[in-house]
Short mmCIF file of all heavy atoms in Angstrom, two decimals:
data_model
loop_
_atom_site.label_atom_id
_atom_site.label_comp_id
_atom_site.label_asym_id
_atom_site.label_seq_id
_atom_site.Cartn_x
_atom_site.Cartn_y
_atom_site.Cartn_z
N ALA A 130 -24.84 -50.95 -42.61
CA ALA A 130 -24.86 -51.37 -44.01
C ALA A 130 -26.27 -51.83 -44.37
O ALA A 130 -27.14 -51.97 -43.50
CB ALA A 130 -23.86 -52.50 -44.27
N MET A 131 -26.47 -52.07 -45.66
CA MET A 131 -27.65 -52.78 -46.11
C MET A 131 -27.35 -54.27 -46.05
O MET A 131 -26.32 -54.71 -46.58
CB MET A 131 -28.02 -52.35 -47.53
CG MET A 131 -29.32 -52.95 -48.04
SD MET A 131 -30.78 -52.21 -47.28
CE MET A 131 -30.82 -50.61 -48.10
N TYR A 132 -28.23 -55.03 -45.42
CA TYR A 132 -28.02 -56.45 -45.23
C TYR A 132 -28.93 -57.25 -46.15
O TYR A 132 -30.13 -56.98 -46.26
CB TYR A 132 -28.29 -56.84 -43.78
CG TYR A 132 -27.16 -56.46 -42.85
CD1 TYR A 132 -26.85 -55.13 -42.60
CD2 TYR A 132 -26.39 -57.45 -42.24
CE1 TYR A 132 -25.80 -54.78 -41.77
CE2 TYR A 132 -25.34 -57.11 -41.39
CZ TYR A 132 -25.05 -55.78 -41.16
OH TYR A 132 -24.01 -55.43 -40.33
N TYR A 133 -28.35 -58.24 -46.81
CA TYR A 133 -29.07 -59.06 -47.77
C TYR A 133 -28.93 -60.54 -47.42
O TYR A 133 -27.85 -60.99 -47.05
CB TYR A 133 -28.50 -58.88 -49.19
CG TYR A 133 -28.54 -57.47 -49.72
CD1 TYR A 133 -27.48 -56.59 -49.50
CD2 TYR A 133 -29.62 -57.02 -50.47
CE1 TYR A 133 -27.50 -55.31 -50.00
CE2 TYR A 133 -29.64 -55.73 -50.98
CZ TYR A 133 -28.58 -54.88 -50.74
OH TYR A 133 -28.60 -53.61 -51.25
N CYS A 134 -30.00 -61.28 -47.57
CA CYS A 134 -29.89 -62.73 -47.55
C CYS A 134 -29.94 -63.25 -48.98
O CYS A 134 -30.56 -62.63 -49.86
CB CYS A 134 -30.99 -63.38 -46.70
SG CYS A 134 -32.68 -63.11 -47.26
N ALA A 135 -29.27 -64.34 -49.22
CA ALA A 135 -29.15 -64.88 -50.56
C ALA A 135 -29.20 -66.40 -50.53
O ALA A 135 -28.77 -67.03 -49.57
CB ALA A 135 -27.84 -64.41 -51.20
N THR A 136 -29.71 -66.96 -51.60
CA THR A 136 -29.75 -68.41 -51.75
C THR A 136 -29.55 -68.76 -53.22
O THR A 136 -29.13 -67.91 -54.00
CB THR A 136 -31.05 -68.99 -51.17
OG1 THR A 136 -30.99 -70.42 -51.14
CG2 THR A 136 -32.25 -68.54 -51.98
N ASP A 137 -29.83 -69.99 -53.59
CA ASP A 137 -29.58 -70.47 -54.95
C ASP A 137 -28.08 -70.41 -55.26
O ASP A 137 -27.65 -69.76 -56.22
CB ASP A 137 -30.40 -69.67 -55.96
CG ASP A 137 -30.39 -70.30 -57.34
OD1 ASP A 137 -30.06 -71.50 -57.47
OD2 ASP A 137 -30.72 -69.58 -58.32
N PHE A 138 -27.30 -71.10 -54.43
CA PHE A 138 -25.86 -71.15 -54.61
C PHE A 138 -25.51 -71.90 -55.89
O PHE A 138 -26.01 -73.00 -56.14
CB PHE A 138 -25.21 -71.83 -53.41
CG PHE A 138 -23.71 -71.92 -53.46
CD1 PHE A 138 -22.93 -70.77 -53.44
CD2 PHE A 138 -23.09 -73.15 -53.51
CE1 PHE A 138 -21.55 -70.84 -53.48
CE2 PHE A 138 -21.71 -73.23 -53.55
CZ PHE A 138 -20.94 -72.08 -53.54
N ARG A 139 -24.63 -71.32 -56.68
CA ARG A 139 -24.23 -71.91 -57.96
C ARG A 139 -22.72 -72.01 -58.11
O ARG A 139 -22.20 -72.16 -59.22
CB ARG A 139 -24.82 -71.10 -59.12
CG ARG A 139 -24.53 -69.61 -59.05
CD ARG A 139 -25.45 -68.85 -59.99
NE ARG A 139 -25.19 -67.42 -59.96
CZ ARG A 139 -25.94 -66.51 -60.56
NH1 ARG A 139 -27.02 -66.90 -61.25
NH2 ARG A 139 -25.64 -65.23 -60.48
N GLY A 140 -22.01 -71.92 -57.00
CA GLY A 140 -20.57 -72.10 -57.00
C GLY A 140 -20.19 -73.54 -56.72
O GLY A 140 -21.01 -74.46 -56.80
N LEU A 141 -18.93 -73.72 -56.38
CA LEU A 141 -18.41 -75.05 -56.09
C LEU A 141 -18.63 -75.41 -54.63
O LEU A 141 -18.40 -74.59 -53.74
CB LEU A 141 -16.92 -75.12 -56.43
CG LEU A 141 -16.52 -74.99 -57.89
CD1 LEU A 141 -15.01 -75.01 -58.02
CD2 LEU A 141 -17.15 -76.09 -58.73
N PHE A 142 -19.06 -76.64 -54.41
CA PHE A 142 -19.20 -77.15 -53.04
C PHE A 142 -17.87 -77.76 -52.60
O PHE A 142 -17.34 -78.65 -53.26
CB PHE A 142 -20.30 -78.20 -52.97
CG PHE A 142 -21.68 -77.64 -53.04
CD1 PHE A 142 -22.32 -77.47 -54.26
CD2 PHE A 142 -22.36 -77.27 -51.89
CE1 PHE A 142 -23.60 -76.95 -54.33
CE2 PHE A 142 -23.65 -76.75 -51.94
CZ PHE A 142 -24.26 -76.59 -53.18
N LEU A 143 -17.35 -77.26 -51.50
CA LEU A 143 -16.12 -77.77 -50.92
C LEU A 143 -16.44 -78.45 -49.60
O LEU A 143 -17.35 -78.04 -48.88
CB LEU A 143 -15.11 -76.64 -50.69
CG LEU A 143 -14.73 -75.82 -51.92
CD1 LEU A 143 -13.80 -74.68 -51.51
CD2 LEU A 143 -14.07 -76.70 -52.97
N THR A 144 -15.69 -79.49 -49.30
CA THR A 144 -15.92 -80.22 -48.06
C THR A 144 -15.81 -79.31 -46.84
O THR A 144 -16.61 -79.39 -45.92
CB THR A 144 -14.93 -81.39 -47.94
OG1 THR A 144 -15.10 -82.27 -49.05
CG2 THR A 144 -15.18 -82.16 -46.65
N SER A 145 -14.81 -78.43 -46.85
CA SER A 145 -14.58 -77.56 -45.71
C SER A 145 -15.47 -76.32 -45.71
O SER A 145 -15.69 -75.72 -44.66
CB SER A 145 -13.12 -77.14 -45.68
OG SER A 145 -12.75 -76.46 -46.87
N ARG A 146 -15.97 -75.93 -46.88
CA ARG A 146 -16.79 -74.74 -47.00
C ARG A 146 -17.80 -74.96 -48.12
O ARG A 146 -17.60 -74.49 -49.25
CB ARG A 146 -15.94 -73.51 -47.26
CG ARG A 146 -16.67 -72.18 -47.08
CD ARG A 146 -15.74 -71.01 -47.33
NE ARG A 146 -16.44 -69.74 -47.23
CZ ARG A 146 -16.48 -68.98 -46.15
NH1 ARG A 146 -15.81 -69.36 -45.05
NH2 ARG A 146 -17.15 -67.85 -46.14
N PRO A 147 -18.91 -75.63 -47.85
CA PRO A 147 -19.81 -76.07 -48.92
C PRO A 147 -20.63 -74.97 -49.58
O PRO A 147 -21.17 -75.19 -50.67
CB PRO A 147 -20.72 -77.08 -48.21
CG PRO A 147 -20.70 -76.67 -46.78
CD PRO A 147 -19.31 -76.17 -46.54
N CYS A 148 -20.74 -73.80 -48.98
CA CYS A 148 -21.63 -72.76 -49.50
C CYS A 148 -20.92 -71.47 -49.87
O CYS A 148 -21.58 -70.43 -50.01
CB CYS A 148 -22.74 -72.46 -48.48
SG CYS A 148 -23.84 -73.85 -48.14
N GLY A 149 -19.62 -71.51 -50.04
CA GLY A 149 -18.89 -70.32 -50.43
C GLY A 149 -19.13 -69.19 -49.45
O GLY A 149 -18.88 -69.33 -48.25
N GLY A 150 -19.61 -68.05 -49.98
CA GLY A 150 -19.98 -66.94 -49.13
C GLY A 150 -19.12 -65.69 -49.31
O GLY A 150 -19.46 -64.64 -48.76
N GLU A 151 -18.04 -65.78 -50.06
CA GLU A 151 -17.18 -64.64 -50.29
C GLU A 151 -17.53 -63.89 -51.56
O GLU A 151 -17.30 -62.68 -51.66
CB GLU A 151 -15.71 -65.08 -50.35
CG GLU A 151 -15.20 -65.73 -49.07
CD GLU A 151 -15.16 -64.76 -47.91
OE1 GLU A 151 -14.95 -63.56 -48.15
OE2 GLU A 151 -15.32 -65.19 -46.75
N ASN A 152 -18.11 -64.59 -52.53
CA ASN A 152 -18.40 -64.02 -53.84
C ASN A 152 -19.91 -63.92 -54.04
O ASN A 152 -20.59 -64.94 -54.13
CB ASN A 152 -17.75 -64.87 -54.93
CG ASN A 152 -17.89 -64.26 -56.30
OD1 ASN A 152 -18.52 -63.21 -56.48
ND2 ASN A 152 -17.32 -64.93 -57.30
N ALA A 153 -20.42 -62.72 -54.14
CA ALA A 153 -21.86 -62.52 -54.30
C ALA A 153 -22.37 -63.09 -55.62
O ALA A 153 -23.54 -63.46 -55.72
CB ALA A 153 -22.20 -61.03 -54.20
N ASP A 154 -21.50 -63.18 -56.61
CA ASP A 154 -21.91 -63.70 -57.92
C ASP A 154 -22.24 -65.19 -57.88
O ASP A 154 -22.83 -65.70 -58.83
CB ASP A 154 -20.82 -63.45 -58.96
CG ASP A 154 -20.66 -61.98 -59.29
OD1 ASP A 154 -21.64 -61.22 -59.11
OD2 ASP A 154 -19.56 -61.60 -59.74
N GLU A 155 -21.87 -65.88 -56.81
CA GLU A 155 -22.16 -67.30 -56.69
C GLU A 155 -23.57 -67.58 -56.20
O GLU A 155 -23.97 -68.75 -56.12
CB GLU A 155 -21.14 -67.97 -55.76
CG GLU A 155 -19.71 -67.99 -56.33
CD GLU A 155 -18.73 -68.63 -55.39
OE1 GLU A 155 -18.91 -68.54 -54.16
OE2 GLU A 155 -17.76 -69.25 -55.89
N TYR A 156 -24.32 -66.54 -55.88
CA TYR A 156 -25.71 -66.71 -55.42
C TYR A 156 -26.66 -66.10 -56.43
O TYR A 156 -26.44 -64.99 -56.92
CB TYR A 156 -25.90 -66.09 -54.03
CG TYR A 156 -25.38 -66.99 -52.94
CD1 TYR A 156 -24.04 -67.02 -52.61
CD2 TYR A 156 -26.26 -67.84 -52.27
CE1 TYR A 156 -23.56 -67.87 -51.63
CE2 TYR A 156 -25.79 -68.69 -51.28
CZ TYR A 156 -24.44 -68.70 -50.96
OH TYR A 156 -23.98 -69.55 -49.99
N GLY A 157 -27.74 -66.83 -56.72
CA GLY A 157 -28.64 -66.42 -57.77
C GLY A 157 -29.93 -65.78 -57.34
O GLY A 157 -30.59 -65.12 -58.15
N SER A 158 -30.33 -65.93 -56.08
CA SER A 158 -31.58 -65.37 -55.59
C SER A 158 -31.31 -64.49 -54.38
O SER A 158 -30.67 -64.93 -53.42
CB SER A 158 -32.58 -66.48 -55.23
OG SER A 158 -32.92 -67.24 -56.36
N TRP A 159 -31.83 -63.27 -54.42
CA TRP A 159 -31.53 -62.27 -53.41
C TRP A 159 -32.79 -61.61 -52.87
O TRP A 159 -33.75 -61.40 -53.62
CB TRP A 159 -30.62 -61.17 -53.98
CG TRP A 159 -29.26 -61.64 -54.32
CD1 TRP A 159 -28.87 -62.32 -55.43
CD2 TRP A 159 -28.09 -61.46 -53.52
NE1 TRP A 159 -27.52 -62.59 -55.38
CE2 TRP A 159 -27.01 -62.07 -54.23
CE3 TRP A 159 -27.84 -60.84 -52.31
CZ2 TRP A 159 -25.71 -62.07 -53.73
CZ3 TRP A 159 -26.55 -60.84 -51.81
CH2 TRP A 159 -25.50 -61.45 -52.53
N GLY A 160 -32.75 -61.29 -51.58
CA GLY A 160 -33.79 -60.46 -51.02
C GLY A 160 -33.56 -59.00 -51.40
O GLY A 160 -32.55 -58.63 -52.00
N GLN A 161 -34.51 -58.15 -51.03
CA GLN A 161 -34.42 -56.73 -51.35
C GLN A 161 -33.51 -55.96 -50.40
O GLN A 161 -33.13 -54.83 -50.70
CB GLN A 161 -35.82 -56.11 -51.34
CG GLN A 161 -36.72 -56.62 -52.46
CD GLN A 161 -36.14 -56.33 -53.82
OE1 GLN A 161 -35.81 -55.18 -54.15
NE2 GLN A 161 -36.00 -57.38 -54.64
N GLY A 162 -33.15 -56.56 -49.28
CA GLY A 162 -32.26 -55.93 -48.33
C GLY A 162 -33.01 -55.23 -47.20
O GLY A 162 -34.14 -54.79 -47.36
N THR A 163 -32.34 -55.13 -46.06
CA THR A 163 -32.88 -54.41 -44.92
C THR A 163 -31.75 -53.60 -44.29
O THR A 163 -30.64 -54.09 -44.12
CB THR A 163 -33.53 -55.37 -43.90
OG1 THR A 163 -34.14 -54.63 -42.85
CG2 THR A 163 -32.51 -56.34 -43.31
N GLN A 164 -32.03 -52.35 -43.96
CA GLN A 164 -31.00 -51.43 -43.48
C GLN A 164 -30.73 -51.63 -42.00
O GLN A 164 -31.66 -51.72 -41.19
CB GLN A 164 -31.42 -49.98 -43.74
CG GLN A 164 -30.42 -48.94 -43.24
CD GLN A 164 -29.12 -48.96 -44.03
OE1 GLN A 164 -29.13 -49.15 -45.25
NE2 GLN A 164 -28.01 -48.76 -43.34
N VAL A 165 -29.45 -51.70 -41.65
CA VAL A 165 -29.00 -51.74 -40.27
C VAL A 165 -28.11 -50.52 -40.03
O VAL A 165 -27.12 -50.33 -40.73
CB VAL A 165 -28.23 -53.03 -39.95
CG1 VAL A 165 -27.59 -52.95 -38.57
CG2 VAL A 165 -29.15 -54.23 -40.04
N THR A 166 -28.47 -49.71 -39.05
CA THR A 166 -27.72 -48.51 -38.72
C THR A 166 -27.33 -48.55 -37.25
O THR A 166 -28.20 -48.69 -36.38
CB THR A 166 -28.53 -47.25 -39.02
OG1 THR A 166 -28.90 -47.21 -40.40
CG2 THR A 166 -27.72 -46.00 -38.69
N VAL A 167 -26.04 -48.42 -36.98
CA VAL A 167 -25.52 -48.46 -35.62
C VAL A 167 -24.86 -47.12 -35.34
O VAL A 167 -23.90 -46.73 -36.01
CB VAL A 167 -24.52 -49.60 -35.42
CG1 VAL A 167 -24.09 -49.68 -33.96
CG2 VAL A 167 -25.13 -50.92 -35.87
N SER A 168 -25.36 -46.42 -34.35
CA SER A 168 -24.85 -45.09 -34.01
C SER A 168 -23.86 -45.18 -32.86
O SER A 168 -23.90 -46.09 -32.03
CB SER A 168 -25.99 -44.16 -33.64
OG SER A 168 -26.72 -44.64 -32.52
N SER A 169 -22.97 -44.18 -32.80
CA SER A 169 -21.96 -44.13 -31.75
C SER A 169 -22.57 -43.74 -30.41
O SER A 169 -23.59 -43.05 -30.35
CB SER A 169 -20.85 -43.13 -32.11
OG SER A 169 -20.23 -43.48 -33.33
#
């Protein structure tokens, strides 16, 4: 896949999961991505 790092979290902070991570729309700043390819 193409792998992206993201920051500038703008979702809700939860005690058990303070940084979300399931919804890409909750992050406001993104890298350009780097490709990872795994062959059989």
Side-chain angles (χ1 to χ4, degrees):
M131 185 73 74
Y132 283 67
Y133 301 89
C134 62
T136 189
D137 192 18
F138 181 65
R139 52 196 181 188
L141 294 177
F142 286 90
L143 304 176
T144 301
S145 59
R146 193 179 177 96
C148 297
E151 299 294 329
N152 186 358
D154 291 335
E155 293 179 329
Y156 281 82
S158 297
W159 292 80
Q161 293 300 306
T163 185
Q164 179 68 38
V165 171
T166 301
V167 185
S168 60
S169 301

